[in-house]
Amino acid sequence: MLKGKTALVTGSTSGIGLGIAKALAAQGANIVLNGFGDAEGPKAEIAALGVKVAYHGADMSKVSDIEDMMQFAASTFGRVDILVNNAGIQHVARIEEFPVDRWDAIIAINLSSAFHATRLALPSMQQVNWGRIINVASVHGLVASAAKSAYVAAKHGVVGLTKVTALENATSGVTCNAICPGWVLTPLVQKQVDAKAQAMGVSHEEAKNLLLGEKEPSMQFTTPEELGALAVFFCSPAADNVRGVAWNMDGGWTAQ
Ligand code: NAD
């Protein structure tokens, strides 16, 4: 379905980003990966799906790095047809104890980077009258949890940015939607499982069940593969008129 198209997925060396990149590659899209840590493993996993793959190590907290990455993607593959704004970090602390540098980093990586990549991707999408911008927000773009002020503020911001991007392009073939996962067992959440296990003196298995039990009636983690399938749907012709939605995949978290 996506043969000949190029997808750039930020924060795709791990977790949800890698899951989405693999799902888009399985539909034939060439992929630009981004993120920290090992890039060779993810590159090989994408190449094995029979598409072209490139990697750019932009630090998504730096505007000049994002500009460089978008230029690299255009010069490597001609254009970015699908932009997935996924890179994100977390820090958990009450507001009065929240480190100022963590606030700034979360707003820059989880929110401002989506604005910068979007503003740089839009002109070439508008030129060919087709494009897909998918913002990986969170249930925390819809509801809040204590001790996650920066993350919740950034993710609510991402949902707002999604709606504005969708509206500004509503008469064109460029759509923008957000995905709002509940708990997904990636390194980002594993840290929270480990912290809970330590704080409560319980096993990792018990800590996982406690995390799920607090929020997710399904008692199941959402998987990167499920989120990848939703991203593929947003790229399909059936989603041509799906604009500005914040689609939760959260085991019932926000239905309560
Ligand atoms: P992860 O830690 O597995 O992956 C995060 C990715 O972002 C990695 O590739 C990492 O290298 C990259 N990254 C981090 N800082 C970066 C920076 N400054 N520049 C470039 N890349 C950077 O986490 P994940 O759980 O896969 O999270 C992906 C997205 O999904 C995030 O936006 C997160 O907020 C969101 N999300 C996660 C969950 C969850 O339960 N895991 C739930 C809802 C939303």
Side-chain angles (χ1 to χ4, degrees), residues 81-92:
D81 304 286
I82 300 162
L83 169 67
V84 183
N85 289 310
N86 167 78
I89 58 168
Q90 176 63 288
H91 187 86
V92 181

Side-chain angles (χ1 to χ4, degrees), residues 4 12 20 39-40 62 115 117 166 168 194 203 214 226:
S12 48
I20 292 177
E40 291 311 311
K62 300 199 170 118
F115 160 71
E168 288 183 4
D194 296 347
S203 73
E214 279 168 16
E226 289 162 351

